[in-house]
């Protein structure tokens, strides 16, 4: 997850507020990798709790996982409110490697 964070350039935001939510479906685990601006604004326990919730939801399917990821948004919004000069520096998109996974 940390390698993907760097490879995708999530650490290049001007406020260092990038967040990568990494879900490994086959392994049924998740990782939330946050840049230093997020780490400074949100207590580690809060990020750990949100990560644990996403991790637990993966085994319950896509809808549960999406809801657990969406529950991270208000935590981020409260700690890092939008500024008047904010621009969206990263794509708000899913990235996956499903076509590269081995077929069973």
């Amino acid at each position: 997850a940390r390698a993907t964070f760097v490879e995708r350039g999530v650490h290049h935001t001007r406020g260092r507020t990038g967040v990568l939510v990494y879900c490994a479906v086959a392994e049924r685990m998740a990782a939330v990798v946050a840049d230093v601006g997020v780490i400074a604004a949100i207590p580690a326990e809060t990020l750990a709790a949100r990560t644990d919730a996403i991790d637990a939801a993966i085994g319950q399917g896509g809808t549960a996982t999406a809801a657990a990821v969406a529950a991270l948004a208000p935590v981020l919004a409260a700690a890092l409110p939008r500024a008047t000069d904010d621009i969206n520096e990263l794509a708000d998109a899913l990235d996956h490697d499903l076509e590269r996974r081995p077929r069973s």
Side-chain angles (χ1 to χ4, degrees):
R2 291 185 194 287
T4 301
F5 181 86
V6 173
E7 288 168 10
R8 301 283 192 240
V10 179
H11 63 294
H12 285 302
T13 63
R14 65 183 169 169
R16 302 294 303 265
T17 55
V19 176
L20 173 82
V21 178
Y22 186 94
C23 297
V25 177
E27 293 83 4
R28 293 188 179 203
M29 61 78 57
V32 175
V33 183
D35 208 340
V36 296
V38 177
I39 292 168
I42 299 175
E45 308 81 46
T46 301
L47 282 176
R50 293 289 87 227
T51 301
D52 290 346
I54 297 166
D55 196 60
I58 289 176
Q60 300 170 22
T63 302
T65 303
V69 171
L72 181 59
V75 173
L76 294 168
L80 300 160
R82 177 177 285 273
T84 56
D85 66 340
D86 274 353
I87 58 169
N88 199 4
E89 299 174 73
L90 300 170
D92 292 332
L94 294 175
D95 188 2
H96 62 81
D97 65 355
L98 295 176
E99 68 279 352
R100 292 181 286 199
R101 73 178 183 187
R103 306 257 185 234
S104 19

